[in-house]
Amino acid sequence: MEKNKDNRLVIIVKIEKYIEYMLTILLKLPRTEKFSIGTEFKSVMYDTFKNIMFIEKATQKERIYYLNKIDVGLNIQRALLRIMKK
């Protein structure tokens, strides 16, 4: 897996920036959406981040499991974004 100069996975740095960006967007949502879809989106986003953190510690065999969980989390986030756009 690709690491940067701090010996951290590159995806960890990218997901941190993504979370910061999405939190600023979620704060701009109207009140009702902020507390319904926004809360769900944040929990899925944090679960995805947690699974990314586990990849660094996981064995080769366990990585497939976490990659599948991350993929599902990202698909849920995409679906929630489409719902929020409408």
Coordinates of all heavy atoms in Angstrom, one line a residue:
M1 N 0.8 -1.2 0.0 CA 0.0 0.0 0.0 C 0.9 1.2 0.0 O 1.9 1.3 0.6 CB -0.9 0.0 1.2 CG -1.7 -1.3 1.3 SD -3.3 -0.9 2.2 CE -4.3 -0.8 0.7
E2 N 0.4 2.3 -0.7 CA 1.2 3.5 -0.9 C 1.2 4.4 0.4 O 0.2 4.6 1.0 CB 0.6 4.3 -2.0 CG 1.5 5.4 -2.5 CD 0.9 6.1 -3.7 OE1 0.1 5.5 -4.4 OE2 1.2 7.3 -3.9
K3 N 2.4 4.8 0.8 CA 2.5 5.6 2.0 C 3.2 6.9 1.6 O 3.9 7.0 0.7 CB 3.4 4.9 3.1 CG 2.7 3.6 3.6 CD 3.4 3.1 4.8 CE 2.6 1.9 5.3 NZ 3.0 1.5 6.6
N4 N 2.9 8.0 2.4 CA 3.6 9.2 2.2 C 4.8 9.4 3.1 O 5.2 8.5 3.7 CB 2.5 10.4 2.3 CG 2.0 10.5 3.8 OD1 2.4 9.8 4.6 ND2 1.1 11.4 4.0
K5 N 5.3 10.6 3.1 CA 6.6 10.9 3.8 C 6.4 10.7 5.3 O 7.4 10.4 6.0 CB 7.1 12.2 3.5 CG 6.2 13.4 3.9 CD 6.8 14.7 3.5 CE 5.7 15.8 3.8 NZ 6.0 17.0 3.1
D6 N 5.2 10.8 5.9 CA 4.9 10.6 7.3 C 4.7 9.2 7.7 O 4.3 8.8 8.8 CB 3.7 11.4 7.8 CG 3.9 12.9 7.5 OD1 5.0 13.4 7.5 OD2 2.9 13.6 7.4
N7 N 4.9 8.3 6.7 CA 4.7 6.8 6.8 C 3.3 6.5 7.1 O 2.9 5.6 7.8 CB 5.6 6.3 7.9 CG 5.9 4.8 7.7 OD1 5.7 4.3 6.6 ND2 6.2 4.1 8.7
R8 N 2.4 7.4 6.6 CA 0.9 7.1 6.7 C 0.4 6.7 5.3 O 0.9 7.2 4.3 CB 0.2 8.3 7.2 CG 0.5 8.6 8.7 CD -0.2 9.9 9.2 NE -1.4 10.3 8.5 CZ -2.1 11.3 8.9 NH1 -1.7 12.1 9.9 NH2 -3.2 11.7 8.2
L9 N -0.6 5.9 5.3 CA -1.2 5.6 4.0 C -1.8 6.9 3.4 O -2.3 7.8 4.1 CB -2.4 4.6 4.2 CG -2.0 3.2 4.6 CD1 -3.3 2.4 4.9 CD2 -1.2 2.6 3.6
V10 N -1.6 7.0 2.1 CA -2.0 8.2 1.4 C -3.6 8.3 1.5 O -4.1 9.5 1.6 CB -1.6 8.1 -0.1 CG1 -2.2 9.2 -0.9 CG2 -0.1 8.1 -0.2
I11 N -4.3 7.2 1.5 CA -5.7 7.3 1.6 C -6.2 7.9 2.9 O -7.2 8.6 2.9 CB -6.4 5.9 1.3 CG1 -7.9 6.1 1.1 CG2 -6.1 5.0 2.5 CD1 -8.5 4.9 0.5
I12 N -5.4 7.8 4.0 CA -5.8 8.4 5.2 C -5.8 9.9 5.2 O -6.7 10.6 5.6 CB -4.9 7.8 6.4 CG1 -5.2 6.4 6.6 CG2 -5.1 8.6 7.7 CD1 -4.2 5.7 7.6
V13 N -4.8 10.4 4.5 CA -4.7 11.9 4.4 C -5.8 12.4 3.5 O -6.5 13.4 3.8 CB -3.3 12.3 3.8 CG1 -3.2 13.7 3.5 CG2 -2.2 11.8 4.7
K14 N -6.1 11.6 2.4 CA -7.2 12.1 1.5 C -8.6 12.0 2.2 O -9.4 12.9 2.0 CB -7.2 11.2 0.3 CG -6.0 11.5 -0.6 CD -6.0 10.8 -1.9 CE -4.7 11.2 -2.7 NZ -4.8 10.7 -4.0
I15 N -8.8 10.9 3.0 CA -10.1 10.8 3.6 C -10.3 11.9 4.7 O -11.4 12.4 4.9 CB -10.4 9.4 4.2 CG1 -11.8 9.2 4.5 CG2 -9.6 9.1 5.4 CD1 -12.7 8.9 3.4
E16 N -9.2 12.3 5.4 CA -9.3 13.4 6.3 C -9.7 14.7 5.7 O -10.6 15.4 6.2 CB -8.0 13.6 7.1 CG -7.6 12.5 8.1 CD -6.2 12.6 8.6 OE1 -5.4 13.4 8.2 OE2 -5.9 11.8 9.5
K17 N -9.1 15.0 4.5 CA -9.5 16.2 3.8 C -10.9 16.1 3.3 O -11.7 17.1 3.3 CB -8.5 16.4 2.6 CG -7.2 16.8 3.0 CD -6.2 17.0 1.8 CE -4.8 17.3 2.3 NZ -3.9 17.4 1.1
Y18 N -11.3 14.9 2.8 CA -12.7 14.7 2.4 C -13.7 14.9 3.5 O -14.7 15.6 3.3 CB -12.8 13.3 1.8 CG -14.2 12.8 1.6 CD1 -14.9 13.3 0.5 CD2 -14.8 11.9 2.4 CE1 -16.2 12.9 0.2 CE2 -16.1 11.4 2.2 CZ -16.8 11.9 1.1 OH -18.1 11.5 0.8
I19 N -13.4 14.4 4.7 CA -14.3 14.6 5.8 C -14.4 16.1 6.2 O -15.5 16.6 6.4 CB -13.8 13.8 7.0 CG1 -14.1 12.3 6.8 CG2 -14.5 14.2 8.3 CD1 -13.5 11.3 7.8
E20 N -13.3 16.8 6.2 CA -13.3 18.2 6.5 C -14.2 19.0 5.5 O -15.0 19.8 5.8 CB -11.9 18.8 6.5 CG -11.1 18.4 7.6 CD -9.7 18.9 7.5 OE1 -9.4 19.9 6.7 OE2 -8.8 18.4 8.2
Y21 N -14.0 18.6 4.2 CA -14.8 19.2 3.1 C -16.3 18.9 3.3 O -17.2 19.8 3.2 CB -14.3 18.7 1.8 CG -15.1 19.2 0.6 CD1 -15.0 20.5 0.2 CD2 -16.0 18.4 -0.1 CE1 -15.8 21.0 -0.9 CE2 -16.7 18.8 -1.1 CZ -16.6 20.1 -1.6 OH -17.4 20.5 -2.6
M22 N -16.6 17.7 3.5 CA -18.0 17.3 3.6 C -18.7 17.9 4.9 O -19.9 18.2 4.8 CB -18.2 15.8 3.6 CG -17.9 15.1 2.3 SD -18.9 15.9 0.9 CE -20.5 15.6 1.4
L23 N -18.0 18.0 6.0 CA -18.6 18.6 7.2 C -18.9 20.1 6.9 O -20.0 20.5 7.4 CB -17.6 18.5 8.3 CG -17.5 17.1 8.9 CD1 -16.4 17.1 10.0 CD2 -18.8 16.6 9.4
T24 N -18.1 20.8 6.1 CA -18.5 22.2 5.8 C -19.7 22.2 5.0 O -20.5 23.1 5.1 CB -17.3 22.9 5.1 OG1 -17.0 22.2 4.0 CG2 -16.1 23.1 6.1
I25 N -19.9 21.3 4.1 CA -21.1 21.2 3.2 C -22.3 20.9 4.1 O -23.4 21.4 3.9 CB -20.9 20.2 2.1 CG1 -19.8 20.7 1.2 CG2 -22.2 19.9 1.3 CD1 -19.8 20.5 -0.2
L26 N -22.1 19.9 5.0 CA -23.3 19.5 5.8 C -23.8 20.6 6.7 O -25.0 20.6 7.0 CB -22.9 18.2 6.6 CG -22.7 16.9 5.8 CD1 -22.2 15.8 6.7 CD2 -24.0 16.5 5.1
L27 N -22.9 21.4 7.1 CA -23.3 22.6 8.0 C -24.2 23.6 7.2 O -24.9 24.3 7.8 CB -22.0 23.3 8.5 CG -21.3 22.5 9.6 CD1 -20.0 23.2 10.0 CD2 -22.1 22.3 10.8
K28 N -24.0 23.6 5.9 CA -24.8 24.5 5.1 C -26.2 24.0 4.7 O -27.0 24.7 4.2 CB -24.1 24.8 3.8 CG -22.8 25.6 4.1 CD -22.0 25.8 2.8 CE -20.7 26.5 3.1 NZ -19.8 26.6 1.9
L29 N -26.5 22.7 5.1 CA -27.8 22.1 4.8 C -28.9 22.8 5.6 O -28.6 23.3 6.7 CB -27.8 20.6 5.1 CG -27.0 19.7 4.1 CD1 -27.0 18.3 4.7 CD2 -27.6 19.7 2.8
P30 N -30.1 22.8 5.1 CA -31.2 23.3 5.9 C -31.4 22.4 7.2 O -30.9 21.3 7.2 CB -32.4 23.1 5.0 CG -31.9 23.1 3.6 CD -30.5 22.5 3.7
R31 N -32.0 23.0 8.2 CA -32.1 22.4 9.5 C -32.6 20.9 9.5 O -32.0 20.0 10.1 CB -32.9 23.2 10.4 CG -32.9 22.8 11.9 CD -33.7 23.7 12.7 NE -33.7 23.4 14.1 CZ -32.8 23.8 15.0 NH1 -31.9 24.7 14.6 NH2 -32.8 23.4 16.2
T32 N -33.7 20.7 8.8 CA -34.3 19.3 8.8 C -33.4 18.3 8.1 O -33.2 17.2 8.7 CB -35.6 19.3 8.0 OG1 -35.5 19.9 6.7 CG2 -36.7 20.1 8.8
E33 N -32.8 18.7 7.0 CA -31.9 17.7 6.3 C -30.6 17.5 7.1 O -30.0 16.4 7.1 CB -31.5 18.2 4.9 CG -32.6 17.9 3.9 CD -33.6 19.1 3.9 OE1 -33.3 20.1 4.5 OE2 -34.6 18.9 3.3
K34 N -30.2 18.6 7.8 CA -28.9 18.5 8.6 C -29.0 17.4 9.7 O -28.1 16.7 10.0 CB -28.6 19.9 9.2 CG -27.3 19.9 9.9 CD -27.0 21.2 10.6 CE -27.1 22.4 9.7 NZ -26.8 23.7 10.4
F35 N -30.2 17.3 10.3 CA -30.4 16.4 11.4 C -30.8 15.0 10.9 O -30.7 14.1 11.7 CB -31.3 17.0 12.4 CG -30.7 18.2 13.1 CD1 -31.3 19.4 12.9 CD2 -29.6 18.0 13.9 CE1 -30.8 20.5 13.6 CE2 -29.1 19.2 14.5 CZ -29.6 20.4 14.4
S36 N -31.3 14.9 9.7 CA -31.7 13.5 9.3 C -30.7 12.9 8.4 O -29.9 12.0 8.8 CB -33.1 13.6 8.6 OG -33.0 14.5 7.5
I37 N -30.6 13.4 7.2 CA -29.6 12.8 6.2 C -28.2 13.2 6.7 O -27.3 12.4 6.6 CB -29.9 13.3 4.8 CG1 -31.1 12.6 4.2 CG2 -28.7 13.1 3.9 CD1 -31.4 13.0 2.8
G38 N -28.0 14.4 7.2 CA -26.7 14.8 7.6 C -26.1 13.9 8.7 O -24.9 13.6 8.6
T39 N -26.9 13.6 9.7 CA -26.5 12.7 10.7 C -26.1 11.3 10.2 O -25.1 10.7 10.6 CB -27.5 12.6 11.8 OG1 -27.9 13.9 12.3 CG2 -27.1 11.7 13.0
E40 N -26.9 10.8 9.3 CA -26.7 9.5 8.7 C -25.4 9.5 7.9 O -24.6 8.6 7.9 CB -27.9 9.0 7.9 CG -27.7 7.7 7.2 CD -27.6 6.5 8.2 OE1 -28.2 6.7 9.3 OE2 -27.0 5.5 7.9
F41 N -25.2 10.6 7.1 CA -24.1 10.7 6.3 C -22.8 10.8 7.1 O -21.8 10.1 6.8 CB -24.2 12.0 5.4 CG -23.1 12.1 4.3 CD1 -23.4 11.5 3.1 CD2 -21.9 12.7 4.6 CE1 -22.4 11.6 2.1 CE2 -21.0 12.7 3.6 CZ -21.2 12.2 2.3
K42 N -22.8 11.5 8.2 CA -21.6 11.6 9.1 C -21.3 10.3 9.7 O -20.1 9.9 9.8 CB -21.9 12.7 10.2 CG -21.7 14.1 9.7 CD -21.6 15.1 10.8 CE -23.0 15.3 11.4 NZ -23.0 16.4 12.4
S43 N -22.3 9.5 10.1 CA -22.0 8.2 10.8 C -21.4 7.3 9.8 O -20.4 6.5 10.1 CB -23.2 7.6 11.4 OG -24.2 7.3 10.5
V44 N -21.9 7.2 8.5 CA -21.3 6.4 7.5 C -19.9 6.8 7.1 O -19.0 6.0 7.0 CB -22.2 6.4 6.2 CG1 -21.6 5.6 5.1 CG2 -23.6 5.7 6.5
M45 N -19.7 8.1 7.1 CA -18.4 8.7 6.8 C -17.4 8.3 7.8 O -16.3 7.9 7.5 CB -18.5 10.2 6.6 CG -17.4 10.9 6.0 SD -17.7 12.6 5.6 CE -18.4 13.3 7.1
Y46 N -17.8 8.4 9.1 CA -16.9 8.1 10.2 C -16.6 6.6 10.2 O -15.5 6.1 10.5 CB -17.4 8.6 11.5 CG -17.4 10.1 11.6 CD1 -18.5 10.7 12.3 CD2 -16.4 10.8 11.1 CE1 -18.5 12.1 12.4 CE2 -16.4 12.2 11.2 CZ -17.4 12.8 11.9 OH -17.5 14.2 12.0
D47 N -17.6 5.8 9.9 CA -17.4 4.3 9.9 C -16.4 3.9 8.8 O -15.5 3.1 8.9 CB -18.7 3.6 9.7 CG -19.6 3.5 10.9 OD1 -19.0 3.8 12.0 OD2 -20.8 3.3 10.8
T48 N -16.5 4.6 7.6 CA -15.6 4.4 6.5 C -14.2 4.8 6.9 O -13.3 4.0 6.6 CB -16.1 5.2 5.3 OG1 -17.4 4.8 4.9 CG2 -15.2 4.9 4.1
F49 N -14.1 5.9 7.6 CA -12.8 6.3 8.1 C -12.2 5.3 9.0 O -11.0 5.0 9.0 CB -12.9 7.7 8.7 CG -11.6 8.3 9.2 CD1 -10.5 8.5 8.3 CD2 -11.4 8.6 10.5 CE1 -9.3 9.0 8.7 CE2 -10.2 9.2 10.9 CZ -9.2 9.3 10.1
K50 N -13.0 4.8 9.9 CA -12.5 3.8 10.9 C -12.0 2.5 10.2 O -11.0 2.0 10.5 CB -13.7 3.4 11.8 CG -13.3 2.5 12.9 CD -14.4 2.2 13.9 CE -15.5 1.5 13.2 NZ -16.6 1.0 14.1
N51 N -12.8 2.1 9.2 CA -12.3 0.9 8.4 C -11.0 1.2 7.6 O -10.2 0.3 7.5 CB -13.4 0.5 7.4 CG -14.6 -0.1 8.2 OD1 -14.4 -0.8 9.2 ND2 -15.8 0.1 7.7
I52 N -10.8 2.4 7.2 CA -9.6 2.7 6.5 C -8.4 2.7 7.5 O -7.3 2.2 7.2 CB -9.7 4.1 5.8 CG1 -10.6 4.0 4.6 CG2 -8.3 4.6 5.4 CD1 -10.9 5.3 4.0
M53 N -8.7 3.1 8.7 CA -7.6 3.0 9.7 C -7.3 1.6 10.1 O -6.1 1.3 10.3 CB -8.1 3.8 11.0 CG -8.3 5.3 10.8 SD -6.8 6.1 10.2 CE -6.0 6.3 11.8
F54 N -8.3 0.7 10.0 CA -8.0 -0.7 10.3 C -7.2 -1.4 9.2 O -6.4 -2.3 9.5 CB -9.3 -1.5 10.5 CG -10.0 -1.3 11.8 CD1 -11.3 -1.0 11.9 CD2 -9.3 -1.6 13.0 CE1 -11.9 -0.8 13.1 CE2 -9.9 -1.5 14.2 CZ -11.2 -1.1 14.3
I55 N -7.2 -0.9 8.0 CA -6.5 -1.5 6.9 C -5.0 -1.5 7.2 O -4.3 -2.5 6.9 CB -6.8 -0.8 5.6 CG1 -8.1 -1.3 5.0 CG2 -5.7 -1.1 4.5 CD1 -8.5 -0.8 3.7
E56 N -4.5 -0.5 7.8 CA -3.1 -0.3 8.0 C -2.6 -1.4 9.0 O -1.5 -1.9 8.9 CB -2.8 1.0 8.6 CG -1.3 1.4 8.6 CD -1.1 2.9 8.9 OE1 -1.9 3.5 9.6 OE2 -0.1 3.4 8.4
K57 N -3.5 -1.8 9.9 CA -3.1 -2.8 10.9 C -3.5 -4.2 10.5 O -3.1 -5.2 11.2 CB -3.8 -2.5 12.3 CG -3.5 -1.1 12.7 CD -2.1 -0.9 13.2 CE -2.0 0.5 13.8 NZ -0.6 0.9 13.9
A58 N -4.3 -4.4 9.5 CA -4.9 -5.7 9.2 C -3.8 -6.5 8.4 O -2.9 -6.0 7.7 CB -6.1 -5.5 8.3
T59 N -4.0 -7.8 8.5 CA -3.2 -8.8 7.7 C -3.7 -8.7 6.3 O -4.8 -8.2 6.0 CB -3.3 -10.2 8.3 OG1 -4.7 -10.6 8.1 CG2 -2.9 -10.3 9.7
Q60 N -2.9 -9.3 5.4 CA -3.3 -9.4 4.0 C -4.7 -10.0 3.8 O -5.5 -9.6 3.0 CB -2.2 -10.1 3.2 CG -2.3 -10.0 1.7 CD -2.1 -8.6 1.2 OE1 -1.3 -7.9 1.8 NE2 -2.7 -8.2 0.2
K61 N -5.0 -11.0 4.5 CA -6.2 -11.7 4.4 C -7.4 -10.9 4.9 O -8.5 -10.9 4.3 CB -6.2 -13.0 5.2 CG -7.1 -14.1 4.9 CD -6.8 -15.3 5.7 CE -7.5 -16.5 5.0 NZ -7.3 -17.7 5.8
E62 N -7.2 -10.1 5.9 CA -8.3 -9.2 6.5 C -8.5 -8.0 5.6 O -9.6 -7.4 5.7 CB -7.9 -8.8 7.9 CG -7.8 -9.9 8.9 CD -7.3 -9.4 10.2 OE1 -6.4 -8.5 10.2 OE2 -7.7 -10.0 11.2
R63 N -7.6 -7.6 4.8 CA -7.7 -6.4 4.0 C -8.9 -6.4 3.1 O -9.5 -5.4 2.8 CB -6.4 -6.1 3.3 CG -5.4 -5.5 4.2 CD -4.1 -5.1 3.5 NE -3.1 -4.7 4.4 CZ -1.9 -4.3 4.1 NH1 -1.5 -4.4 2.9 NH2 -1.1 -3.9 5.1
I64 N -9.1 -7.6 2.5 CA -10.3 -7.7 1.5 C -11.6 -7.4 2.3 O -12.4 -6.7 1.7 CB -10.3 -9.1 0.9 CG1 -9.0 -9.4 0.1 CG2 -11.5 -9.3 0.1 CD1 -8.9 -8.6 -1.1
Y65 N -11.7 -7.9 3.5 CA -12.9 -7.7 4.3 C -13.1 -6.1 4.5 O -14.2 -5.6 4.3 CB -12.8 -8.4 5.6 CG -13.8 -8.0 6.6 CD1 -15.1 -8.5 6.5 CD2 -13.5 -7.2 7.7 CE1 -16.1 -8.1 7.4 CE2 -14.5 -6.8 8.6 CZ -15.8 -7.3 8.5 OH -16.7 -6.9 9.4
Y66 N -12.0 -5.5 4.9 CA -12.1 -4.0 5.1 C -12.3 -3.2 3.9 O -13.1 -2.2 3.8 CB -10.9 -3.5 5.9 CG -10.9 -4.0 7.4 CD1 -10.0 -4.8 7.8 CD2 -11.9 -3.5 8.2 CE1 -10.0 -5.3 9.2 CE2 -12.0 -3.9 9.5 CZ -11.0 -4.8 10.0 OH -11.1 -5.2 11.3
L67 N -11.7 -3.7 2.8 CA -11.9 -3.0 1.5 C -13.3 -3.1 1.0 O -13.9 -2.1 0.5 CB -10.9 -3.5 0.4 CG -9.5 -3.1 0.6 CD1 -8.6 -3.9 -0.4 CD2 -9.3 -1.7 0.4
N68 N -14.0 -4.2 1.2 CA -15.4 -4.4 0.9 C -16.2 -3.5 1.7 O -17.2 -2.9 1.3 CB -15.8 -5.9 1.0 CG -15.3 -6.7 -0.1 OD1 -15.1 -6.2 -1.2 ND2 -15.0 -8.0 0.2
K69 N -15.9 -3.4 3.0 CA -16.7 -2.5 3.9 C -16.5 -1.0 3.5 O -17.5 -0.3 3.5 CB -16.3 -2.7 5.4 CG -16.8 -4.0 6.0 CD -16.4 -4.1 7.4 CE -17.4 -3.2 8.2 NZ -17.4 -3.5 9.6
I70 N -15.3 -0.7 3.1 CA -15.1 0.7 2.6 C -15.9 1.0 1.4 O -16.5 2.1 1.2 CB -13.6 0.9 2.5 CG1 -12.9 0.9 3.8 CG2 -13.3 2.2 1.7 CD1 -11.4 0.8 3.7
D71 N -15.9 0.0 0.5 CA -16.6 0.2 -0.8 C -18.1 0.4 -0.6 O -18.7 1.3 -1.2 CB -16.3 -1.0 -1.7 CG -16.9 -0.9 -3.1 OD1 -16.8 0.2 -3.7 OD2 -17.6 -1.8 -3.5
V72 N -18.6 -0.4 0.3 CA -20.1 -0.3 0.7 C -20.3 1.1 1.3 O -21.3 1.8 0.9 CB -20.5 -1.4 1.6 CG1 -21.9 -1.1 2.2 CG2 -20.5 -2.7 0.9
G73 N -19.4 1.5 2.2 CA -19.6 2.9 2.8 C -19.6 4.0 1.8 O -20.4 4.9 1.9
L74 N -18.7 3.9 0.8 CA -18.6 4.9 -0.2 C -19.8 4.9 -1.1 O -20.3 6.0 -1.5 CB -17.3 4.7 -1.0 CG -16.0 5.0 -0.3 CD1 -14.8 4.7 -1.2 CD2 -15.9 6.5 0.1
N75 N -20.3 3.7 -1.4 CA -21.6 3.6 -2.2 C -22.8 4.2 -1.5 O -23.6 4.9 -2.1 CB -21.9 2.2 -2.6 CG -20.9 1.7 -3.7 OD1 -20.4 2.5 -4.5 ND2 -20.7 0.4 -3.7
I76 N -22.8 4.0 -0.2 CA -23.9 4.6 0.6 C -23.8 6.1 0.6 O -24.8 6.9 0.5 CB -23.9 4.1 2.1 CG1 -24.3 2.6 2.1 CG2 -24.8 4.9 3.0 CD1 -24.1 1.9 3.4
Q77 N -22.5 6.6 0.8 CA -22.3 8.1 0.7 C -22.7 8.7 -0.6 O -23.3 9.8 -0.6 CB -20.9 8.4 1.0 CG -20.5 8.1 2.5 CD -19.0 8.4 2.7 OE1 -18.5 9.4 2.3 NE2 -18.3 7.5 3.4
R78 N -22.4 8.0 -1.7 CA -22.8 8.5 -3.0 C -24.4 8.6 -3.1 O -24.9 9.5 -3.6 CB -22.3 7.6 -4.1 CG -20.9 7.9 -4.5 CD -20.5 7.1 -5.7 NE -19.1 6.7 -5.6 CZ -18.7 5.5 -5.3 NH1 -19.5 4.5 -5.2 NH2 -17.4 5.2 -5.1
A79 N -25.0 7.5 -2.6 CA -26.5 7.5 -2.7 C -27.1 8.6 -1.8 O -28.0 9.3 -2.2 CB -27.0 6.2 -2.2
L80 N -26.5 8.9 -0.6 CA -27.0 9.9 0.2 C -26.7 11.3 -0.4 O -27.6 12.2 -0.3 CB -26.4 9.9 1.6 CG -26.8 8.7 2.5 CD1 -26.0 8.6 3.7 CD2 -28.3 8.8 2.8
L81 N -25.6 11.5 -1.1 CA -25.3 12.7 -1.8 C -26.4 13.0 -2.9 O -26.8 14.1 -3.1 CB -23.9 12.7 -2.4 CG -22.8 13.1 -1.4 CD1 -21.5 12.9 -2.1 CD2 -22.9 14.5 -1.0
R82 N -26.7 11.9 -3.6 CA -27.7 12.1 -4.7 C -29.1 12.5 -4.1 O -29.8 13.3 -4.6 CB -27.9 10.8 -5.5 CG -26.8 10.6 -6.5 CD -27.1 9.5 -7.4 NE -27.3 8.2 -6.8 CZ -26.3 7.3 -6.6 NH1 -25.1 7.6 -7.0 NH2 -26.5 6.1 -6.0
I83 N -29.4 11.9 -2.9 CA -30.7 12.2 -2.3 C -30.6 13.7 -1.8 O -31.6 14.4 -1.9 CB -30.9 11.3 -1.1 CG1 -31.3 9.9 -1.6 CG2 -32.1 11.8 -0.2 CD1 -31.3 8.8 -0.6
M84 N -29.5 14.1 -1.2 CA -29.4 15.5 -0.7 C -29.5 16.5 -1.8 O -30.0 17.6 -1.7 CB -28.1 15.7 0.0 CG -28.1 15.1 1.4 SD -26.6 15.7 2.4 CE -25.4 14.5 1.8
K85 N -29.0 16.1 -3.0 CA -29.0 17.1 -4.1 C -30.4 17.3 -4.6 O -30.8 18.4 -5.0 CB -28.1 16.5 -5.3 CG -28.0 17.5 -6.4 CD -27.2 16.9 -7.5 CE -27.1 17.9 -8.7 NZ -26.5 17.4 -9.8
K86 N -31.3 16.3 -4.5 CA -32.7 16.4 -4.9 C -33.4 17.1 -3.8 O -34.1 18.0 -3.8 CB -33.3 15.1 -5.2 CG -32.7 14.4 -6.4 CD -33.3 13.0 -6.5 CE -32.6 12.3 -7.7 NZ -33.1 11.0 -7.9

